[in-house]
Amino acid sequence: MKYLMLDRRFLNPQAMENVCIQVTPPEKDRVHNPLFTQDQPWEIRIDNGYPNVLYDPEERIFRCYYTLFTDDLDTEGTTLAERSSRDYLPRMDRVTSLAYAESRDGIHWEKPALNQVEWRGNKMNNILFLFAHGTGVMMDSHDSDSGKRYKMVTKVDIPGKGTHMAVAFSPDGKDWSELIPWPEHNPPADSHNLPFWNEDEGCYMLLSRVWKDGIRMTTLSRSSDFIHWSEPEETLRGRGFEAQVYSMPVFYWNHMYLGLASIIHEGDRTDADFDRVDCELTWAVSPEHFDFVAPGQPVIPRGEGSYPTGEFDCGCIYASPPVMDSENNLWIYYMGGNGKHTNFRETSLARAKWQPDRFAAMVPKRPEEETLLTSNRMRFMGSSLEILAEPLDKDKAVSLQCQLHHIWTSPPIEGFEYEKSRVFETGDGWYRIQWPSGMERLDGEKGCMKLKLKNLKVWAVRGDICLDGHRLWEGADMENEGF
């Protein structure tokens, strides 16, 4: 089994020293970013964008579905000088729509003329639907109906005529059915509505957004047929006015869900981050409840500067679930805006590369001192044990030792002391840990591991181990203590 350090089930916080968790941001593509921006007449304001970037392995093509304003009288026709001199005044008659772009290499994007939706007398555009707000798109390999290989959920928002939730289906991601209204429920859902398949429960799930108690809140709904959805229930709430969850696309990784939560900062107009949007990492074993991995640490840092001269992504970040390329790199595509959330801004698509499993590391609070990481109770099942780690300072020596215990407060198991552990680099950042007597001697036994290290940050542990039970008060083991 493999356990990431962001998985709080694995570590015993009563038995750790000089350590904290630190998000590892993906590397922005400085060569190609931004990949595309709002450069068509109907792309009056991409705004948040809510990107859905998917890779279709059958067609060998990247597809991007993004939300934009195709009518917005306070933006259209304004010059950069005017935008810099006054505040943006959004109108209730703005029209939100869904557009489509595609790419063969994930870098160079085209906005094809789909000839499907008329905009001001012309269908030569890349618009898929008018009046579609916060659309989420997924590819589905579980549905036997080839005409429903692509699925979407959106909020239909027709100014002056009300709103409702709807779904649509497509065989190829470009030709879509008519929008089918939800038979039940009409949540606000004025954000990224992201559908996905939950293998454990064998059903579709939808992460959306509502308002409760004066702040934004992420919700979860279920469906067996993608048409009838359950009433949304809270799954993540932010941290007051200053850190509200605006949207949260998620992806499944290593038997858990990871979320890319866009966090809007309100509550203090004098704050430097006021009305800007950061992206933070969240995690969940089950989508019913998410937690923040490292509250306040951006996983995709905003660019430098401010409107109108700052970097293209200095104001707001809205991400898509990552896609993997043929070289095992994870690419996070995101919409980056160069202004505040409720003011003028121009928005562009960009990407950043993430190394698999290197999402968040345990690092020393005081780098000059040793760090102690202790696992919760687990079952030993063989000889393999490896640590995914990297030196904090590549010019300094690293130290890594491991010790095994039946209970973390008891003496080490004979033959598995720190001084008897041997460490070998296996490549790709993994360090193999062995003892002369061999960990296979403990096959079937329960215990925990202690890592004593210096000048290392640790992302993950893998090997012939499996968590068994949970941490009890002060590490007491009920079975061994006779409870």
PDB file of all heavy atoms in Angstrom, residues 78-88 306-309 338 343-346:
ATOM      1  N   THR A  78     -15.366  48.625 -23.378  1.00  0.00           N
ATOM      2  CA  THR A  78     -14.538  49.453 -22.491  1.00  0.00           C
ATOM      3  C   THR A  78     -13.062  49.286 -22.845  1.00  0.00           C
ATOM      4  O   THR A  78     -12.609  48.201 -23.190  1.00  0.00           O
ATOM      5  CB  THR A  78     -14.745  49.067 -21.020  1.00  0.00           C
ATOM      6  OG1 THR A  78     -14.448  47.668 -20.851  1.00  0.00           O
ATOM      7  CG2 THR A  78     -16.160  49.333 -20.565  1.00  0.00           C
ATOM      8  N   THR A  79     -12.330  50.357 -22.730  1.00  0.00           N
ATOM      9  CA  THR A  79     -10.893  50.311 -22.965  1.00  0.00           C
ATOM     10  C   THR A  79     -10.176  49.941 -21.680  1.00  0.00           C
ATOM     11  O   THR A  79     -10.741  50.031 -20.581  1.00  0.00           O
ATOM     12  CB  THR A  79     -10.378  51.669 -23.446  1.00  0.00           C
ATOM     13  OG1 THR A  79     -10.578  52.636 -22.401  1.00  0.00           O
ATOM     14  CG2 THR A  79     -11.112  52.108 -24.708  1.00  0.00           C
ATOM     15  N   LEU A  80      -8.910  49.550 -21.818  1.00  0.00           N
ATOM     16  CA  LEU A  80      -8.122  49.224 -20.628  1.00  0.00           C
ATOM     17  C   LEU A  80      -7.987  50.445 -19.735  1.00  0.00           C
ATOM     18  O   LEU A  80      -8.030  50.323 -18.502  1.00  0.00           O
ATOM     19  CB  LEU A  80      -6.739  48.711 -21.042  1.00  0.00           C
ATOM     20  CG  LEU A  80      -5.837  48.229 -19.902  1.00  0.00           C
ATOM     21  CD1 LEU A  80      -6.496  47.078 -19.147  1.00  0.00           C
ATOM     22  CD2 LEU A  80      -4.472  47.803 -20.442  1.00  0.00           C
ATOM     23  N   ALA A  81      -7.872  51.619 -20.318  1.00  0.00           N
ATOM     24  CA  ALA A  81      -7.767  52.842 -19.526  1.00  0.00           C
ATOM     25  C   ALA A  81      -9.028  53.059 -18.703  1.00  0.00           C
ATOM     26  O   ALA A  81      -8.964  53.442 -17.519  1.00  0.00           O
ATOM     27  CB  ALA A  81      -7.499  54.033 -20.435  1.00  0.00           C
ATOM     28  N   GLU A  82     -10.196  52.803 -19.302  1.00  0.00           N
ATOM     29  CA  GLU A  82     -11.444  52.971 -18.561  1.00  0.00           C
ATOM     30  C   GLU A  82     -11.565  51.923 -17.465  1.00  0.00           C
ATOM     31  O   GLU A  82     -11.992  52.228 -16.342  1.00  0.00           O
ATOM     32  CB  GLU A  82     -12.641  52.869 -19.511  1.00  0.00           C
ATOM     33  CG  GLU A  82     -13.978  53.083 -18.815  1.00  0.00           C
ATOM     34  CD  GLU A  82     -15.166  52.968 -19.748  1.00  0.00           C
ATOM     35  OE1 GLU A  82     -14.943  52.897 -20.983  1.00  0.00           O
ATOM     36  OE2 GLU A  82     -16.312  52.925 -19.251  1.00  0.00           O
ATOM     37  N   ARG A  83     -11.189  50.690 -17.763  1.00  0.00           N
ATOM     38  CA  ARG A  83     -11.274  49.628 -16.757  1.00  0.00           C
ATOM     39  C   ARG A  83     -10.361  49.921 -15.570  1.00  0.00           C
ATOM     40  O   ARG A  83     -10.633  49.488 -14.449  1.00  0.00           O
ATOM     41  CB  ARG A  83     -10.899  48.287 -17.380  1.00  0.00           C
ATOM     42  CG  ARG A  83     -11.864  47.807 -18.453  1.00  0.00           C
ATOM     43  CD  ARG A  83     -11.446  46.464 -19.022  1.00  0.00           C
ATOM     44  NE  ARG A  83     -12.278  46.060 -20.146  1.00  0.00           N
ATOM     45  CZ  ARG A  83     -12.210  44.895 -20.759  1.00  0.00           C
ATOM     46  NH1 ARG A  83     -11.324  43.993 -20.347  1.00  0.00           N
ATOM     47  NH2 ARG A  83     -13.000  44.624 -21.776  1.00  0.00           N
ATOM     48  N   SER A  84      -9.276  50.619 -15.828  1.00  0.00           N
ATOM     49  CA  SER A  84      -8.315  50.912 -14.762  1.00  0.00           C
ATOM     50  C   SER A  84      -8.740  52.097 -13.908  1.00  0.00           C
ATOM     51  O   SER A  84      -8.184  52.309 -12.830  1.00  0.00           O
ATOM     52  CB  SER A  84      -6.931  51.198 -15.364  1.00  0.00           C
ATOM     53  OG  SER A  84      -6.504  50.142 -16.188  1.00  0.00           O
ATOM     54  N   SER A  85      -9.732  52.848 -14.390  1.00  0.00           N
ATOM     55  CA  SER A  85     -10.088  54.095 -13.700  1.00  0.00           C
ATOM     56  C   SER A  85     -11.401  54.029 -12.944  1.00  0.00           C
ATOM     57  O   SER A  85     -11.741  54.955 -12.216  1.00  0.00           O
ATOM     58  CB  SER A  85     -10.149  55.241 -14.718  1.00  0.00           C
ATOM     59  OG  SER A  85     -11.170  55.002 -15.694  1.00  0.00           O
ATOM     60  N   ARG A  86     -12.171  52.948 -13.117  1.00  0.00           N
ATOM     61  CA  ARG A  86     -13.441  52.835 -12.395  1.00  0.00           C
ATOM     62  C   ARG A  86     -13.715  51.386 -12.046  1.00  0.00           C
ATOM     63  O   ARG A  86     -13.041  50.467 -12.534  1.00  0.00           O
ATOM     64  CB  ARG A  86     -14.591  53.395 -13.229  1.00  0.00           C
ATOM     65  CG  ARG A  86     -14.963  52.554 -14.453  1.00  0.00           C
ATOM     66  CD  ARG A  86     -16.253  53.061 -15.078  1.00  0.00           C
ATOM     67  NE  ARG A  86     -16.638  52.353 -16.287  1.00  0.00           N
ATOM     68  CZ  ARG A  86     -17.357  51.225 -16.295  1.00  0.00           C
ATOM     69  NH1 ARG A  86     -17.759  50.663 -15.158  1.00  0.00           N
ATOM     70  NH2 ARG A  86     -17.692  50.644 -17.451  1.00  0.00           N
ATOM     71  N   ASP A  87     -14.715  51.165 -11.186  1.00  0.00           N
ATOM     72  CA  ASP A  87     -15.081  49.816 -10.789  1.00  0.00           C
ATOM     73  C   ASP A  87     -16.043  49.188 -11.799  1.00  0.00           C
ATOM     74  O   ASP A  87     -16.822  49.881 -12.467  1.00  0.00           O
ATOM     75  CB  ASP A  87     -15.744  49.818  -9.414  1.00  0.00           C
ATOM     76  CG  ASP A  87     -14.756  50.104  -8.296  1.00  0.00           C
ATOM     77  OD1 ASP A  87     -13.555  49.878  -8.511  1.00  0.00           O
ATOM     78  OD2 ASP A  87     -15.193  50.573  -7.230  1.00  0.00           O
ATOM     79  N   TYR A  88     -15.973  47.888 -11.888  1.00  0.00           N
ATOM     80  CA  TYR A  88     -16.888  47.114 -12.725  1.00  0.00           C
ATOM     81  C   TYR A  88     -18.251  47.055 -12.058  1.00  0.00           C
ATOM     82  O   TYR A  88     -18.375  46.847 -10.837  1.00  0.00           O
ATOM     83  CB  TYR A  88     -16.314  45.708 -12.911  1.00  0.00           C
ATOM     84  CG  TYR A  88     -17.224  44.697 -13.557  1.00  0.00           C
ATOM     85  CD1 TYR A  88     -17.725  44.903 -14.842  1.00  0.00           C
ATOM     86  CD2 TYR A  88     -17.557  43.516 -12.905  1.00  0.00           C
ATOM     87  CE1 TYR A  88     -18.545  43.958 -15.450  1.00  0.00           C
ATOM     88  CE2 TYR A  88     -18.364  42.566 -13.503  1.00  0.00           C
ATOM     89  CZ  TYR A  88     -18.862  42.796 -14.774  1.00  0.00           C
ATOM     90  OH  TYR A  88     -19.661  41.854 -15.372  1.00  0.00           O
ATOM     91  N   SER A 306      -0.679  43.473  -9.753  1.00  0.00           N
ATOM     92  CA  SER A 306      -2.106  43.726  -9.632  1.00  0.00           C
ATOM     93  C   SER A 306      -2.611  44.368 -10.919  1.00  0.00           C
ATOM     94  O   SER A 306      -1.828  44.735 -11.804  1.00  0.00           O
ATOM     95  CB  SER A 306      -2.396  44.637  -8.433  1.00  0.00           C
ATOM     96  OG  SER A 306      -1.699  45.868  -8.561  1.00  0.00           O
ATOM     97  N   TYR A 307      -3.925  44.470 -11.016  1.00  0.00           N
ATOM     98  CA  TYR A 307      -4.554  44.997 -12.225  1.00  0.00           C
ATOM     99  C   TYR A 307      -4.173  46.457 -12.449  1.00  0.00           C
ATOM    100  O   TYR A 307      -4.112  47.232 -11.499  1.00  0.00           O
ATOM    101  CB  TYR A 307      -6.069  44.870 -12.093  1.00  0.00           C
ATOM    102  CG  TYR A 307      -6.819  45.095 -13.381  1.00  0.00           C
ATOM    103  CD1 TYR A 307      -6.932  44.078 -14.320  1.00  0.00           C
ATOM    104  CD2 TYR A 307      -7.402  46.323 -13.666  1.00  0.00           C
ATOM    105  CE1 TYR A 307      -7.617  44.278 -15.513  1.00  0.00           C
ATOM    106  CE2 TYR A 307      -8.080  46.529 -14.853  1.00  0.00           C
ATOM    107  CZ  TYR A 307      -8.186  45.509 -15.769  1.00  0.00           C
ATOM    108  OH  TYR A 307      -8.856  45.707 -16.956  1.00  0.00           O
ATOM    109  N   PRO A 308      -3.880  46.853 -13.692  1.00  0.00           N
ATOM    110  CA  PRO A 308      -3.929  46.076 -14.936  1.00  0.00           C
ATOM    111  C   PRO A 308      -2.568  45.598 -15.419  1.00  0.00           C
ATOM    112  O   PRO A 308      -2.481  45.002 -16.490  1.00  0.00           O
ATOM    113  CB  PRO A 308      -4.507  47.087 -15.920  1.00  0.00           C
ATOM    114  CG  PRO A 308      -3.877  48.382 -15.494  1.00  0.00           C
ATOM    115  CD  PRO A 308      -3.781  48.308 -13.979  1.00  0.00           C
ATOM    116  N   THR A 309      -1.492  45.868 -14.651  1.00  0.00           N
ATOM    117  CA  THR A 309      -0.142  45.591 -15.145  1.00  0.00           C
ATOM    118  C   THR A 309       0.452  44.304 -14.598  1.00  0.00           C
ATOM    119  O   THR A 309       1.561  43.927 -14.981  1.00  0.00           O
ATOM    120  CB  THR A 309       0.793  46.756 -14.785  1.00  0.00           C
ATOM    121  OG1 THR A 309       0.801  46.936 -13.355  1.00  0.00           O
ATOM    122  CG2 THR A 309       0.325  48.053 -15.453  1.00  0.00           C
ATOM    123  N   ASN A 338      -6.420  38.480 -13.958  1.00  0.00           N
ATOM    124  CA  ASN A 338      -5.438  39.475 -13.525  1.00  0.00           C
ATOM    125  C   ASN A 338      -6.026  40.589 -12.670  1.00  0.00           C
ATOM    126  O   ASN A 338      -5.365  41.597 -12.416  1.00  0.00           O
ATOM    127  CB  ASN A 338      -4.730  40.089 -14.743  1.00  0.00           C
ATOM    128  CG  ASN A 338      -5.680  40.844 -15.656  1.00  0.00           C
ATOM    129  OD1 ASN A 338      -6.900  40.805 -15.477  1.00  0.00           O
ATOM    130  ND2 ASN A 338      -5.126  41.511 -16.664  1.00  0.00           N
ATOM    131  N   ASN A 343     -14.278  42.899  -9.799  1.00  0.00           N
ATOM    132  CA  ASN A 343     -13.907  44.071 -10.568  1.00  0.00           C
ATOM    133  C   ASN A 343     -13.504  43.662 -11.986  1.00  0.00           C
ATOM    134  O   ASN A 343     -13.635  42.504 -12.378  1.00  0.00           O
ATOM    135  CB  ASN A 343     -12.777  44.827  -9.872  1.00  0.00           C
ATOM    136  CG  ASN A 343     -12.943  46.333 -10.005  1.00  0.00           C
ATOM    137  OD1 ASN A 343     -13.350  46.832 -11.045  1.00  0.00           O
ATOM    138  ND2 ASN A 343     -12.629  47.054  -8.934  1.00  0.00           N
ATOM    139  N   PHE A 344     -13.000  44.621 -12.745  1.00  0.00           N
ATOM    140  CA  PHE A 344     -12.537  44.285 -14.086  1.00  0.00           C
ATOM    141  C   PHE A 344     -11.342  43.330 -14.018  1.00  0.00           C
ATOM    142  O   PHE A 344     -10.480  43.454 -13.142  1.00  0.00           O
ATOM    143  CB  PHE A 344     -12.123  45.556 -14.832  1.00  0.00           C
ATOM    144  CG  PHE A 344     -13.280  46.369 -15.322  1.00  0.00           C
ATOM    145  CD1 PHE A 344     -13.553  47.611 -14.773  1.00  0.00           C
ATOM    146  CD2 PHE A 344     -14.098  45.897 -16.339  1.00  0.00           C
ATOM    147  CE1 PHE A 344     -14.618  48.372 -15.231  1.00  0.00           C
ATOM    148  CE2 PHE A 344     -15.173  46.653 -16.803  1.00  0.00           C
ATOM    149  CZ  PHE A 344     -15.435  47.894 -16.246  1.00  0.00           C
ATOM    150  N   ARG A 345     -11.312  42.401 -14.931  1.00  0.00           N
ATOM    151  CA  ARG A 345     -10.178  41.497 -15.086  1.00  0.00           C
ATOM    152  C   ARG A 345     -10.272  40.818 -16.438  1.00  0.00           C
ATOM    153  O   ARG A 345     -11.351  40.699 -17.005  1.00  0.00           O
ATOM    154  CB  ARG A 345     -10.126  40.450 -13.964  1.00  0.00           C
ATOM    155  CG  ARG A 345     -11.386  39.618 -13.804  1.00  0.00           C
ATOM    156  CD  ARG A 345     -11.279  38.632 -12.646  1.00  0.00           C
ATOM    157  NE  ARG A 345     -12.565  38.314 -12.082  1.00  0.00           N
ATOM    158  CZ  ARG A 345     -13.028  37.092 -11.878  1.00  0.00           C
ATOM    159  NH1 ARG A 345     -12.295  36.054 -12.223  1.00  0.00           N
ATOM    160  NH2 ARG A 345     -14.207  36.885 -11.329  1.00  0.00           N
ATOM    161  N   GLU A 346      -9.133  40.382 -16.931  1.00  0.00           N
ATOM    162  CA  GLU A 346      -9.068  39.561 -18.128  1.00  0.00           C
ATOM    163  C   GLU A 346      -8.574  38.182 -17.707  1.00  0.00           C
ATOM    164  O   GLU A 346      -7.686  38.069 -16.856  1.00  0.00           O
ATOM    165  CB  GLU A 346      -8.127  40.167 -19.178  1.00  0.00           C
ATOM    166  CG  GLU A 346      -8.623  41.482 -19.762  1.00  0.00           C
ATOM    167  CD  GLU A 346      -8.390  42.677 -18.861  1.00  0.00           C
ATOM    168  OE1 GLU A 346      -7.245  42.890 -18.429  1.00  0.00           O
ATOM    169  OE2 GLU A 346      -9.372  43.396 -18.560  1.00  0.00           O
TER     170      GLU A 346
END
